[in-house]
Amino acid sequence: MRLPLLALLAKEPAHGYELKQALEVTFGSAYPSPNIGQIYVTLGRLEKDGFVRAVDVEQSNRPNKKVYYLTAAGREALETWVDEPTEGPRVRDEFFMKLVLAPLTGIADRMALVNRQRRHYLSLMRDLDALAERTDPENRVALLLIEGAMLHLQADLDWLQRCQEDLAL
Amino acid sequence: MDTPVVKATNLVKIYQTGGLPVPAVRGIDLTVRAGEFVAIMGPSGSGKSTFIHMLGGLETRTSGEIWLDGKRADTLSESGWAVLRRQKVGFVFQFFNLVANMTVADNVELPALLGGVSPRQARERREYLLGELGLTERAAAAPAQLSGGEQQRVALARALANHPRLLLADEPTGNLDSRNTRDVLKLLGQVHRQGQTIVLVTHDARVASMADRVVSLLDGQIVDDGAIPRTRRRPSGTAGDVVELHG
Ligand SMILES: Nc1ncnc2c1ncn2[C@@H]1O[C@H](COP(=O)(O)OP(=O)(O)OP(=O)(O)O)[C@@H](O)[C@H]1O
Ligand SMILES: [Mg+2]
């Protein structure tokens, strides 16, 4: 969550609660909304690393609030992050390990493993569809995130089928 | 117990073209109850099209039995099948085949008219189906003027025109992008909720995930047949769903 917070602070200084809200507005229900505690812990670490700095702002009738802003080092870290290519998603290696190692354990039938996994993926797909259904159509970011997850799931299923064919289960 | 809409027992298809016999379907048993939505999945060449064609009488079986809506069907003549299909079955082909010299609208209305409904009812049904599939504007076009994806949606509309007892579809979203797939999914969901029995072949996980049950073929045989489980997650439907769902 470090870099998304830096990105939000690059736009304007903000306090913790505003950052939480900005994340929610941007990604909608599709992305995990961090709790305020996590946000403050992350901001604390970013401050220690010199990427952000905080100033106390007085408020009438309330305790002071800390407003965070981006430092030059923070901006540089952000630019590096944006500019570098991003690793592709990892394959679902845990299932693959199970599949390959199952015969050694003598406890699992590969065919049954693949079939169960296929039904599980389809049930995840159904949940993603339901999620898309109740997502605000105006929230393009959330919908794209959901569509991306669906395409990944499709690839997982296709790969599962290849495993089933090729391992001569 | 009510009569199943589809009952296939020990269904076998061996193609014999010239040289070696090709066993495409090797002993399939399948029972589909009224209102059920069954998705058939499996790798290319596993016999999905062959199987669904046999269920619709578009390919003869080598051995085994097919019962549709309580009526023995595998022993029917070609013309007997034609009558049965007109009365009870809507079929969407993997490679759509529309009547080339008829408009989109006429293609969709024809099965309903052949089925004996009034021209007005046929037109209303056609307008509803084309509307749901985003094709209202294309009603007067000839099939050749449509993209592959549009033709496939017309084929689906035509298959549903007659409120068939059974909808058979072979890759109905095979040529569609994700927006058009969504229209097809919505319509399938709607007719399914209205009680439509559906047996559909698909590679598309979104389509398959709408089914009540998924049947997996491998090498002409069923290797899995069962319900798609409900997830154990609470259906909170708020924060972090995609990332939680997809890991
Ligand atoms: N008319 C035919 N004559 C001879 N062999 C055929 C014929 N039609 C299909 N086959 C063979 O039967 C097997 C099953 O084919 P089928 O078309 O049913 O597979 P499928 O599962 O629908 O594949 P796909 O996902 O590619 O559509 C294949 O080996 C295919 O080559
Ligand atoms: Mg096929």
Side-chain angles (χ1 to χ4, degrees):
Chain A
M1 209 206 342
R2 289 165 62 93
L3 287 143
L5 290 185
L6 291 184
L8 291 172
L9 289 174
K11 188 172 158 244
E12 59 195 357
H15 56 85
Y17 190 68
E18 285 171 336
L19 291 170
K20 176 175 159 59
Q21 282 182 316
L23 279 176
E24 279 166 8
V25 169
T26 307
F27 292 107
S29 67
Y31 207 75
S33 164
N35 65 43
I36 192 70
Q38 289 171 293
I39 295 214
Y40 280 116
V41 168
T42 308
L43 285 170
R45 292 194 182 127
L46 289 168
E47 193 175 10
K48 220 172 79 207
D49 293 340
F51 292 158
V52 304
R53 210 160 289 151
V55 287
D56 275 328
V57 176
E58 277 183 39
Q59 297 192 104
S60 49
N61 309 330
R62 285 153 136 233
N64 289 356
K65 70 177 179 189
K66 274 184 157 186
V67 171
Y68 291 85
Y69 64 94
L70 199 62
T71 64
R75 176 164 296 278
E76 201 174 306
L78 181 62
E79 278 169 9
T80 307
W81 177 63
V82 172
D83 282 344
E84 72 193 357
T86 310
E87 281 306 314
R90 286 171 307 132
V91 293
R92 281 174 192 273
D93 37 7
E94 189 181 348
F95 175 74
F96 191 65
M97 286 299 147
K98 269 192 209 172
L99 187 64
V100 172
L101 299 175
L104 305 181
T105 68
I107 49 177
D109 159 11
R110 273 182 172 172
M111 186 67 96
L113 278 180
V114 169
N115 289 338
R116 194 174 331 117
Q117 193 69 12
R118 179 190 299 107
R119 292 196 212 177
H120 176 64
Y121 286 162
L122 289 175
S123 116
L124 289 179
M125 187 61 99
R126 186 186 274 168
D127 291 348
L128 284 171
D129 242 328
L131 177 59
E133 209 50 53
R134 58 172 190 267
T135 297
D136 174 9
E138 298 297 311
N139 192 339
R140 306 307 308 159
V141 172
L143 286 170
L144 279 172
L145 196 57
I146 295 168
E147 191 171 344
M150 287 175 161
L151 291 168
H152 281 293
L153 205 46
Q154 179 72 54
D156 288 330
L157 263 161
D158 293 346
W159 188 49
L160 197 62
Q161 194 146 80
R162 293 289 307 121
C163 292
Q164 191 160 40
E165 281 177 277
D166 263 36
L167 293 176
L169 296 167
Chain B
M1 207 72 201
D2 48 344
T3 324
V5 175
V6 178
K7 188 167 156 60
T9 47
N10 202 11
L11 203 56
V12 171
K13 176 71 185 185
I14 301 170
Y15 287 108
Q16 188 83 57
T17 39
L20 290 172
V22 180
V25 168
R26 305 187 301 153
I28 286 186
D29 294 309
L30 183 77
T31 300
V32 181
R33 308 246 150 238
E36 242 190 320
F37 182 167
V38 177
I40 299 177
M41 302 188 85
S44 188
S46 58
K48 305 180 299 294
S49 292
T50 302
F51 175 58
I52 203 165
H53 279 121
M54 285 194 287
L55 292 185
L58 299 161
E59 191 75 73
T60 58
R61 57 139 181 47
T62 303
S63 65
E65 292 181 12
I66 301 168
W67 296 72
L68 294 186
D69 217 12
K71 187 175 178 349
R72 177 102 188 237
D74 57 274
T75 48
L76 290 175
S77 64
E78 220 165 286
S79 58
W81 265 112
V83 171
L84 183 64
R85 266 201 305 276
R86 191 186 306 152
Q87 289 168 345
K88 305 208 174 217
V89 183
F91 202 103
V92 182
F93 290 85
Q94 183 166 11
F95 306 102
F96 35 82
N97 59 347
L98 301 170
V99 183
N101 56 9
M102 277 170 49
T103 64
V104 164
D106 291 343
N107 262 283
V108 176
E109 285 183 28
L110 183 65
L113 292 171
L114 290 176
V117 312
S118 75
R120 188 165 140 251
Q121 281 173 308
R123 195 189 63 232
E124 282 170 4
R125 178 77 173 156
R126 177 260 294 175
E127 285 168 351
Y128 162 73
L129 291 167
L130 290 183
E132 289 303 307
L133 293 167
L135 288 168
T136 303
E137 322 271 77
R138 312 296 279 142
Q145 297 170 305
L146 305 185
S147 72
E150 287 169 334
Q151 291 188 49
Q152 207 163 22
R153 281 179 287 152
V154 174
L156 177 61
R158 185 184 56 176
L160 286 168
N162 211 11
H163 299 276
R165 183 85 175 123
L166 172 65
L167 175 68
L168 298 173
D170 195 354
E171 295 283 2
T173 59
N175 294 290
L176 304 183
D177 65 10
S178 69
R179 186 159 42 88
N180 290 326
T181 296
R182 201 166 57 217
D183 289 342
V184 167
L185 288 173
K186 252 178 45 203
L187 181 61
L188 286 174
Q190 259 172 44
V191 297
H192 178 44
R193 275 191 299 279
Q194 291 160 12
Q196 178 69 56
T197 309
I198 304 172
V199 178
L200 163 161
V201 170
T202 189
H203 281 103
D204 188 324
R206 288 186 64 192
V207 180
S209 74
M210 296 190 64
D212 305 307
R213 195 173 136 199
V214 58
V215 170
S216 298
L217 295 192
L218 190 64
D219 221 358
Q221 291 181 310
I222 292 180
V223 293
D224 191 34
D225 179 351
I228 300 172
R230 302 270 152 202
T231 38
R232 23 180 216 326
R233 290 177 331 109
R234 77 265 170 272
S236 80
T238 50
D241 279 336
V242 169
V243 177
E244 262 175 37
L245 283 173
H246 205 254

